[in-house]
Amino acid sequence: MAKSPRVAILLGSKSDEGHLKATTELLDRFGIDWELKVISAHRQPEALHEYVRAADRGGTQLFIAAAGLSAALPGVIGSISSRPVIGLPIPGGALSGIDALLSMVQMPGGIPVATVGVGSNGSRNAAILAAQILALFDTAVAEHLRVYREELRNG
Ligand code: RP5
C-alpha cells in the first residue's frame, strides 16, 4: 500500500492554490510532509471519496481543506474520515469568504471542521494548528513549534 503524506491538503479549485502558500511554507518549516490535491466536493464527489479513503488507509494524520463560496469540501472530508479536518475559508465571491467561513464553522454536531480565519492569517494558522496536533506525539515537531513561538515572542 502506498504511504500517504502526514498532511493532505485538498482544494476545491485550482484558483484557491495561491492562498495556501503560507500554509505549505510553514509545514515545510515544521518538517511536516504534505501533499496538495485539487478535488472539488461538488464536481468530483467520487474522486474525493476515493482519495480520502486511500489517504486514511495510507496513514494521513490530518486534512487541511480550503474552499470558497458554500465550501462543502471540509465537511464532506469529515464525513468520510475521522481524522481531524482543518478548514481554511477562501476569500472571494459576492460575500468575500464569509459564506465559506460560516459553512465550515457551522457544521452540524457530529462532524466538526476546525475552522481558521479567512485569508492569510488563516493560511498561517492552518499550518500551526496542524503542527500543534501532530506535536502531541512528535517531539521534533514540538521543538520546531517552540522555536517558532520564541521568534514570535521576540518580534
Ligand atoms: C469553490 O468555489 C472553490 O473552492 C473556489 O474557491 C470557488 C470557485 O471555484 P471555481 O468554480 O472558480 O473553480 O468550490
Side-chain angles (χ1 to χ4, degrees), residues 9-53:
I9 303 173
L10 289 168
L11 313 184
S13 172
K14 180 89 184 141
S15 62
D16 298 331
E17 200 165 347
H19 296 281
L20 273 296
K21 194 168 178 293
T23 309
T24 55
E25 281 176 2
L26 274 175
L27 290 174
D28 285 343
R29 175 185 168 153
F30 297 146
I32 297 168
D33 63 304
W34 53 271
E35 168 177 87
L36 185 148
K37 294 274 179 201
V38 178
I39 311 178
S40 162
H42 59 285
R43 287 185 287 236
Q44 302 163 291
E46 293 90 357
L48 180 62
H49 270 255
E50 208 171 290
Y51 178 83
V52 173
R53 282 192 201 289

Side-chain angles (χ1 to χ4, degrees), residues 85-154:
V85 180
I86 297 172
L88 172 63
I90 299 296
L95 303 183
S96 308
I98 299 291
D99 39 7
L101 171 69
L102 292 177
S103 138
M104 293 180 188
V105 82
Q106 284 292 86
M107 276 298 290
I111 308 290
V113 169
T115 307
V116 294
V118 182
S120 59
N121 286 294
S123 179
R124 285 172 66 193
N125 281 346
I128 296 164
L129 182 55
Q132 287 175 331
I133 294 168
L134 298 177
L136 290 169
F137 302 102
D138 185 325
T139 52
V141 176
E143 176 58 15
H144 282 301
L145 270 172
R146 189 193 65 73
V147 171
Y148 179 75
R149 291 174 69 106
E150 194 169 298
E151 283 178 20
L152 288 184
R153 225 181 347 261
N154 298 334

